[in-house]
Amino acid sequence: MLWNTLLLALREIRRNVLRSFLTMLGIVIGVAAVITMVTLGNGATQSIADQVSSLGSNLLIVRPGQRLGPGSSVAGAPNFKIADAEAVQSQISAVRTLAPTVARGLTVVADGRNWSTSITGSTNAWFSTGSWQLADGREFSEAEERGGQAVCVIGETVRRELFGTQNPIGLSIRIKNFSCEVIGLLVSKGQSAFGSDQDDVVVMPLKTVQRRLSGNQDIAALRISIKDENAIEQAKKQITLLMRERRNIAEGEDDNFSVLDTRQISETLSSTTRVMTTLLGAVAAVSLLVGGIGIMNIMLVSVTERTREIGIRLAIGALEREVLLQFLIEAVVLSSLGGVIGVLLATAASISLATVMQLPYLFNPGINLLAFGFSAAIGVIFGYFPARRAARLDPIDALRHE
Amino acid sequence: MNQNMSSNTPLIELRGVTKVYGRGAVSFQALHGVDLTITQGDFVAVMGPSGSGKSTVTNILGCLDVPTSGSYLFQGVPVEQLDRNQRALLRRNYLGFVFQGFNLLARTSAQENVELPLLYRGETYQARRAAAQAALASVGLEGFGHHTPSELSGGQQQRVAIARAIVTHPSVLLADEPTGNLDSKTGHEIMQLLTRLNCDMGITVLMVTHEPDMAAYARRIIHFRDGRVERIDSQEGRT
């Protein structure tokens, strides 16, 4: 009987293609909107997570002062020395690699072209700590690091701005009053989670920067890669204790340095996008609900319009529940079909929007199933009332209906 | 349908049937105690002016409505004690309906229209197809199965409606003014068809009409007036 009723419902939908399509439209748009919003939101979350992890995995950054961002060197918060870096490296077992860094914003010149960039002084550990790979050339040699020689590894943006399409390896760039040989090129990483260009960088041996650019032995930050993700909290505590000791901070006094955890940043940013995703998804869900009301509206009109037909069906012996089921199935088929079309539309829209917005497209089976299931449920909920009205019609009145 | 039933066993028995519409001051009594017996294989015409109660009695006989008091035995079953769904099953299995306005499903082929009652009886696709084609053939519409009602003339539409009514081999065919919307020539054709179904297939025909020409085809004519049976004319020697 179910199969026959389904057949009846399908015939009815086929008989009114345009009306059926318009009825479905609300559901189509609702389902498509929900899925697209959530899929793009997930893509954005993923892209932020990717960008943060591109800073380096399990990365801790120790800096003097307490505030994040520029101007973090609060007065009275002295920079680190190389001995601090060595102490952390040797005394904390969870440390995988440690890169002491100094940075300077300067203009570099090559081939008559200027480019204002950030000069970072560090050791070879900087590459592995920050998950950097070389596209070409080599890292620093031991002699270059020890002697503070004028060599550098440049990022993709610097290469493009100074050398255009040329291969930069072996060429030299000019910084202030000295010339520096390019020995390596970094693989591009793109934008960071904070919107800055990670490829806009020139890396030199630590001593080169200290001697030729800063003129002191200070270290601005320690970039530390931790062996095991689970050991991060522990390592943070140990580093804090060690640094407090080395910097002679009395008990009860605040730290004059900060230990930053990239995972924290990632979580903060991800939770922000998740909230946005939920919000947009909820707005889209309202449109799905409106689509359901549209179905109820059309089904009610349909019941009135088809009163005589219902009368005929009842007269020739259709049971109340058969008429109820027919109208209910009609509503469910309409809304489910709308759901299917919505899912397809959402897939197309998500892929193209993700491409335009440069976000990764992540197929999310959960939200697709949920949205489809919800659309079918809407058919049942909003189809029931009109269906019951149809089933309870009096056959005599229904037959007399014009 | 009990095949062994003799043609004199009452198929339909109304005993003191009354029908009151509405309640209290606005109530209206449409039937004032109707007694009626119809045997199997009969061909009965119900006549009477409007307001005489002939529509009410037809609705009751068609199990679409129940009497306010009195009893209605259909093959010995007291219909007034059945609920809505049981009466629907009774209509589905034993009754066929033909209406003045044809009442076919629009934009639906004749074949599908005729198959409709079988669909509710849960018959298979092949059985439905074969039975519907046979029914269409028996009303002289062989090969018209794919036409929709709008493509058919009034007479053809009424034939489709008759095919739909007889496709389940009902005991009783209830026809409410079957020729009311047709010209007299087509009306006579429809009446001839009903007569043939009555004679050849043994279907009991119960017809409401106000045209004496059409009533003349029946074996008996029941005249209604003011909610009562006024008189019953027997015309065994009909043409």
Side-chain angles (χ1 to χ4, degrees):
Chain A
M1 190 191 89
L2 199 68
W3 170 246
N4 283 340
T5 315
L6 186 68
L7 204 70
L8 284 174
L10 285 175
R11 269 185 199 166
E12 199 48 51
I13 288 166
R14 200 190 52 199
R15 209 175 290 150
N16 287 295
V17 178
L18 182 65
R19 189 180 67 188
S20 304
F21 174 73
L22 289 174
T23 311
M24 272 190 274
L25 207 56
I27 295 288
V28 170
I29 292 171
V31 167
V34 169
I35 297 177
T36 309
M37 290 301 163
V38 172
T39 304
L40 288 181
N42 285 344
T45 310
Q46 180 65 42
S47 125
I48 285 167
D50 286 349
Q51 284 167 357
V52 171
S53 77
S54 80
L55 285 172
S57 55
N58 305 340
L59 186 66
L60 295 181
I61 301 170
V62 188
R63 288 203 276 195
Q66 264 298 317
R67 282 183 297 136
L68 242 170
S72 59
S73 292
V74 173
N79 278 326
F80 303 118
K81 296 293 180 192
I82 196 72
D84 294 313
E86 280 160 4
V88 172
Q89 175 97 60
S90 59
Q91 289 178 36
I92 295 174
S93 58
V95 172
R96 186 162 61 89
T97 53
L98 182 149
T101 62
V102 280
R104 280 280 175 282
L106 284 170
T107 303
V108 291
V109 186
D111 227 358
R113 279 186 267 198
N114 290 320
W115 184 245
S116 188
T117 183
S118 156
I119 315 281
T120 298
S122 192
T123 61
N124 276 334
W126 186 85
F127 299 105
S128 60
T129 311
S131 301
W132 284 100
Q133 309 233 300
L134 289 178
D136 202 356
R138 58 178 178 84
E139 296 184 355
F140 309 124
S141 73
E142 212 181 307
E144 282 162 352
E145 286 200 314
R146 212 178 322 115
Q149 288 177 24
V151 290
C152 62
V153 174
I154 61 173
E156 177 60 29
T157 304
V158 176
R159 184 200 65 77
R160 194 183 61 233
E161 296 297 334
L162 293 180
F163 300 106
T165 53
Q166 261 180 297
N167 181 356
I169 307 296
L171 300 177
S172 50
I173 57 175
R174 182 152 206 75
I175 302 151
K176 274 190 164 175
N177 53 359
F178 70 96
S179 154
C180 181
E181 186 194 346
V182 178
I183 59 164
L185 176 67
L186 295 167
V187 169
S188 170
K189 273 192 183 182
Q191 280 207 338
S192 78
F194 315 101
S196 61
D197 181 1
Q198 299 184 85
D199 297 327
D200 190 5
V201 69
V202 172
V203 192
M204 291 182 191
L206 181 65
K207 280 194 174 152
T208 315
V209 177
Q210 284 177 333
R211 282 182 196 160
R212 300 192 188 221
L213 298 174
S214 340
N216 58 37
Q217 299 289 305
D218 288 354
I219 287 166
L222 303 178
R223 298 172 82 87
I224 302 164
S225 167
I226 302 298
K227 283 174 189 160
D228 181 6
E229 196 182 346
N230 301 321
I232 289 178
E233 283 310 309
Q234 178 72 16
K236 258 173 99 170
K237 276 188 201 130
Q238 289 172 344
I239 291 167
T240 309
L241 274 175
L242 180 64
M243 293 313 287
R244 282 182 73 93
E245 191 184 303
R246 291 187 65 84
R247 291 162 84 87
N248 298 316
I249 300 169
E251 210 158 316
E253 259 183 78
D254 286 339
D255 297 345
N256 60 1
F257 60 91
S258 59
V259 183
L260 213 82
D261 179 352
T262 48
R263 217 180 31 168
Q264 259 176 1
I265 308 170
S266 145
E267 272 164 17
T268 311
L269 290 171
S270 300
S271 76
T272 312
T273 43
R274 263 199 298 277
V275 168
M276 284 305 291
T277 306
T278 312
L279 209 69
L280 288 171
V283 171
V286 171
S287 73
L288 193 53
L289 204 68
V290 173
I293 294 169
I295 286 205
M296 177 155 78
N297 183 19
I298 297 289
M299 291 305 292
L300 278 174
V301 170
S302 171
V303 167
T304 310
E305 194 184 273
R306 288 156 63 191
T307 299
R308 187 186 267 266
E309 175 202 320
I310 295 161
I312 299 168
R313 291 180 189 278
L314 289 168
I316 64 175
L319 299 179
E320 212 172 297
R321 65 183 152 91
E322 286 168 331
V323 174
L324 180 93
L325 208 60
Q326 183 193 336
F327 277 82
L328 204 55
I329 285 181
E330 248 180 81
V332 173
V333 167
L334 276 179
S335 64
S336 314
L337 212 60
V340 169
I341 297 174
V343 166
L344 295 177
L345 193 71
T347 308
S350 306
I351 290 176
S352 49
L353 279 173
T355 314
V356 171
M357 295 162 79
Q358 297 187 323
L359 292 173
Y361 168 71
L362 301 169
F363 178 73
N364 183 337
I367 191 66
N368 277 279
L369 275 175
L370 189 75
F372 173 74
F374 198 65
S375 71
I378 272 181
V380 176
I381 296 162
F382 290 104
Y384 183 76
F385 176 62
R388 201 189 57 170
R389 175 180 273 200
R392 296 213 174 153
L393 282 174
D394 178 46
I396 301 169
D397 291 342
L399 280 169
R400 220 177 276 146
H401 191 269
E402 288 306 320
Chain B
M1 174 70 227
N2 189 347
Q3 295 297 324
N4 297 326
M5 204 176 259
S6 109
S7 64
N8 289 325
T9 310
L11 179 67
I12 284 169
E13 246 186 309
L14 295 185
R15 289 280 167 268
V17 165
T18 67
K19 182 70 190 178
V20 180
Y21 291 111
R23 284 209 178 96
V26 291
S27 69
F28 165 75
Q29 184 155 12
L31 294 178
H32 299 266
V34 173
D35 298 311
L36 195 62
T37 307
I38 295 169
T39 53
Q40 208 206 323
D42 208 348
F43 190 154
V44 180
V46 176
M47 292 192 77
S50 43
S52 62
K54 64 183 192 301
S55 289
T56 306
V57 86
T58 317
N59 286 338
I60 289 172
L61 288 173
C63 303
L64 293 167
D65 208 349
V66 282
T68 307
S69 71
S71 86
Y72 168 24
L73 295 172
F74 183 89
Q75 292 183 346
V77 178
V79 176
E80 73 277 4
Q81 288 169 22
L82 303 181
D83 67 18
R84 200 177 138 107
N85 279 327
Q86 286 169 323
R87 279 185 281 125
L89 287 172
L90 199 70
R91 290 198 295 272
R92 173 190 296 190
N93 292 317
Y94 301 107
L95 299 176
F97 287 90
V98 175
F99 307 96
Q100 179 176 4
F102 320 138
N103 277 344
L104 298 173
L105 297 191
R107 285 162 293 170
T108 305
S109 71
Q111 173 84 23
E112 283 179 17
N113 262 297
V114 177
E115 281 183 24
L116 195 63
L118 301 172
L119 210 57
Y120 285 113
R121 285 159 69 120
E123 309 223 359
T124 64
Y125 173 76
Q126 283 84 5
R128 290 202 307 268
R129 234 184 126 64
Q133 275 167 358
L136 280 171
S138 69
V139 298
L141 282 179
E142 212 158 12
F144 280 82
H146 59 280
H147 289 279
T148 59
S150 58
E151 296 165 354
L152 297 169
S153 71
Q156 286 170 326
Q157 287 186 53
Q158 193 60 299
R159 282 163 192 270
V160 173
I162 293 170
R164 181 179 66 191
I166 62 165
V167 75
T168 57
H169 301 287
S171 311
V172 181
L173 182 68
L174 271 147
D176 189 359
E177 306 252 14
T179 59
N181 281 15
L182 302 171
D183 60 63
S184 82
K185 181 173 169 287
T186 319
H188 281 290
E189 282 167 16
I190 292 295
M191 288 318 300
Q192 280 153 14
L193 174 61
L194 289 178
T195 309
R196 213 183 67 228
L197 293 172
N198 175 247
C199 294
D200 300 353
M201 296 174 71
I203 298 174
T204 309
V205 179
L206 212 148
M207 175 181 77
V208 177
T209 185
H210 60 266
E211 293 168 275
D213 278 7
M214 303 303 163
Y217 285 87
R219 212 168 270 150
R220 291 195 298 157
I221 302 175
I222 303 172
H223 295 272
F224 269 79
R225 184 171 292 274
D226 301 329
R228 288 186 179 85
V229 177
E230 191 185 35
R231 67 172 200 280
I232 300 177
D233 295 339
S234 267
Q235 37 183 19
E236 285 299 333
R238 69 204 163 113
T239 46

